[in-house]
Amino acid sequence: MKAILIDDEPLALSYLERQLMKMDTISLEISGRFTNPYDALDLANHTKVDIAFIDIELPEINGIELAERLLEHYPGLMVVFVTAYQEYAVDAFELNAIDYIVKPVRFDRLSKTINRIISNHKVNLSNAGPLQPIRMTMFKQVMIEEPQSPGHFSLLQWRTAKAQELFLYLLQHRGQLVRKSFIVDLLWPDVDVNKAYSQLYTTIYHIRKTLTPYEKRFQIKSANDGYVLGLENVILDVAGWSSSPEANPISENTLEHYIEKISSYTGDYLQEYDYWWAEGERQRLKQLWIHTAICLGQWYEAHQQFDEALTAYLHIRGLYPIEEKSSFALMKLYDKIRKPQKTLECYQELTEQLKEEFDEPPGYDIQQWFKKWKKRQSRLKSAF
């Protein structure tokens, strides 16, 4: 395996290299040793490396930022942080680096690091086969299926709020290039541009490490001064919501598909995350789900399956009580199956909720229909 060493202290570099050369458990080639981190980046442009030993405290660029910029070239790079300060050891450990070493580097401690590197390399080779698909939810709350525990979902644990937001933004724009300059303006609009880019590289590093347990299912690639998030064998609950029922009509053959599709919608897209940039997609998916659920109810009605139609319309009202189209469809269905009290209650509930929320009455079409319905009910009572 090939390694590079980065430290602004020449003596520390020489000492670390001598200690590494004593190791007989690994075949290691030192491809470069650098006091200038930018020289290490230049090497990474044309030479593949497997391991990077990086001092966290560098004068021009911090070690975490450097690690991320190296990972842009080689996502599988194994990073070992070296620090002269014990307090940084905890930070490095939390970053999920392969290991951290406190200076001066002792031979016995370095041996443990090399053993971790060997173990990690073996695991990577054993995981080279096809990955099992896992599911991930974006409706209501973001949760992911554990690779080793099918059916068990958990929350992703993020080191910072910025890391969470950036990951979700890349996930929303999966497969698309998102420029670094845009990300900096989005997440750090009031920060000095150089510091903002440093924050960006550190945040991307945190994201990569959080996603490590999921192996190659998530791939953050750097291209054209931006990032592209690719997914492999990750099944998103939102992925099936790219088209309306008109493109693939509801029928006996597609009914089960639509029932499952409707059930997968457990709440608004990223409902528990207050990101302004998610609002457009949130509204698009909401309206598409409502439209699809109404189409399902109408299909049931057309096939005289009134109980199922009621369930479909009531499902919409349960999530969105002030949604007028579904309430209107529900009123007309109650009328069709001769449940006048339910028709009246439905109209009254909608009127009260719209009044409370927007200080507005129901739409003109609903009001006109209800007036005709009341006259018809009066005539029926008069006839008796």
Side-chain angles (χ1 to χ4, degrees):
M1 285 188 281
K2 295 182 178 181
I4 54 174
L5 319 179
I6 304 104
D7 196 313
D8 62 315
E9 299 176 10
L11 289 177
L13 275 178
S14 298
Y15 182 73
L16 176 59
E17 183 177 15
R18 287 198 303 273
Q19 295 286 58
L20 286 169
M21 290 299 96
K22 296 177 186 176
M23 297 292 162
D24 57 7
T25 57
I26 187 172
S27 176
L28 198 63
E29 175 188 334
I30 306 300
S31 297
R33 35 179 284 183
F34 307 96
T35 55
N36 185 338
Y38 294 102
D39 290 340
L41 289 172
D42 289 340
L43 177 78
N45 284 326
H46 55 78
T47 302
K48 184 181 184 304
V49 293
D50 304 295
I51 313 163
F53 290 84
I54 304 174
D55 184 10
I56 288 184
E57 283 291 286
L58 295 169
E60 297 181 45
I61 177 175
N62 73 64
I64 298 169
E65 178 182 343
L66 176 61
E68 167 50 31
R69 293 176 70 171
L70 289 168
L71 283 162
E72 288 183 0
H73 295 284
Y74 305 113
L77 178 71
M78 291 179 278
V79 176
V80 177
F81 286 117
V82 184
T83 175
Y85 305 98
Q86 184 68 42
E87 59 265 28
Y88 283 114
V90 177
D91 289 337
F93 183 73
E94 289 177 354
L95 287 170
N96 285 330
I98 288 292
D99 204 357
Y100 64 89
I101 310 172
V102 178
K103 297 178 183 178
V105 179
R106 301 193 321 272
F107 182 80
D108 59 339
R109 181 64 184 83
L110 188 57
S111 296
K112 292 180 180 179
T113 299
I114 295 301
N115 288 336
R116 288 187 182 183
I117 289 171
I118 294 170
S119 297
N120 188 77
H121 185 61
K122 288 179 179 178
V123 169
N124 288 340
L125 291 176
S126 66
N127 290 337
L131 297 171
Q132 290 296 317
I134 60 172
R135 292 168 291 168
M136 187 172 186
T137 65
M138 296 185 76
F139 288 125
K140 192 173 183 179
Q141 190 173 44
V142 177
M143 301 189 76
I144 189 165
E145 190 173 21
E146 295 295 335
Q148 308 305 323
S149 304
H152 181 262
F153 287 77
S154 62
L155 295 171
L156 288 165
Q157 300 299 317
W158 297 105
R159 182 175 170 86
T160 66
K162 295 294 187 186
Q164 174 180 272
E165 183 173 2
L166 178 52
F167 170 71
L168 292 178
Y169 187 86
L170 292 173
L171 188 58
Q172 176 169 307
H173 298 275
R174 56 198 176 276
Q176 303 173 36
L177 176 69
V178 180
R179 295 201 175 276
K180 294 177 184 176
S181 57
F182 176 83
I183 297 171
V184 165
D185 288 341
L186 175 69
L187 297 181
W188 297 280
D190 302 319
V191 176
D192 172 77
V193 66
N194 291 326
K195 291 183 178 178
Y197 271 90
S198 178
Q199 291 283 350
L200 169 60
Y201 293 126
T202 302
T203 301
I204 288 288
Y205 183 82
H206 293 324
I207 293 172
R208 289 189 197 275
K209 291 308 170 184
T210 298
L211 298 176
T212 297
Y214 306 99
E215 301 174 52
K216 294 182 179 180
R217 293 181 180 89
F218 298 93
Q219 300 177 31
I220 301 176
K221 298 179 180 178
S222 180
N224 297 325
D225 199 35
Y227 296 105
V228 179
L229 175 63
L231 304 184
E232 181 181 338
N233 289 318
V234 178
I235 304 168
L236 297 178
D237 57 356
V238 299
W241 291 93
S242 57
S243 60
S244 68
E246 285 74 17
N248 182 26
I250 299 173
S251 64
E252 292 285 356
N253 293 330
T254 62
L255 183 60
E256 284 301 318
H257 164 73
Y258 277 103
I259 291 173
E260 291 180 10
K261 191 173 178 179
I262 293 294
S263 299
S264 73
Y265 190 98
T266 55
D268 284 339
Y269 172 75
L270 297 184
Q271 179 176 311
E272 298 189 4
Y273 309 87
D274 187 25
Y275 303 137
W276 65 265
W277 48 261
E279 189 58 30
E281 183 68 355
R282 184 177 293 135
Q283 291 303 317
R284 183 189 75 82
L285 289 167
K286 173 183 174 180
Q287 293 306 318
L288 182 56
W289 180 80
I290 290 171
H291 175 66
T292 303
I294 289 174
C295 287
L296 181 62
Q298 291 171 337
W299 188 89
Y300 281 132
E301 277 195 69
H303 290 77
Q304 306 296 302
Q305 298 180 42
F306 299 129
D307 287 344
E308 288 81 358
L310 281 173
T311 299
Y313 297 144
L314 288 169
H315 188 181
I316 303 171
R317 289 208 71 205
L319 286 177
Y320 304 111
I322 58 176
E323 207 293 309
E324 294 188 61
K325 290 181 182 177
S326 58
S327 293
F328 195 15
L330 188 58
M331 287 178 221
K332 290 191 283 188
L333 179 55
Y334 279 139
D335 180 45
K336 182 186 290 187
I337 60 178
R338 295 186 175 85
K339 291 190 174 182
Q341 185 59 33
K342 287 290 188 182
T343 304
L344 177 62
E345 289 173 2
C346 187
Y347 181 82
Q348 289 175 337
E349 287 172 7
L350 177 64
T351 301
E352 290 170 5
Q353 287 159 346
L354 286 171
K355 176 69 175 175
E356 181 179 345
E357 189 75 18
F358 301 117
D359 197 25
E360 293 284 345
Y364 178 78
D365 290 346
I366 296 177
Q367 291 185 59
Q368 292 301 109
W369 182 90
F370 186 70
K371 286 177 183 178
K372 292 178 182 178
W373 178 82
K374 283 184 68 177
K375 288 181 180 179
R376 191 158 26 94
Q377 294 302 307
S378 296
R379 287 197 298 269
L380 286 174
K381 287 181 181 180
S382 300
F384 291 98

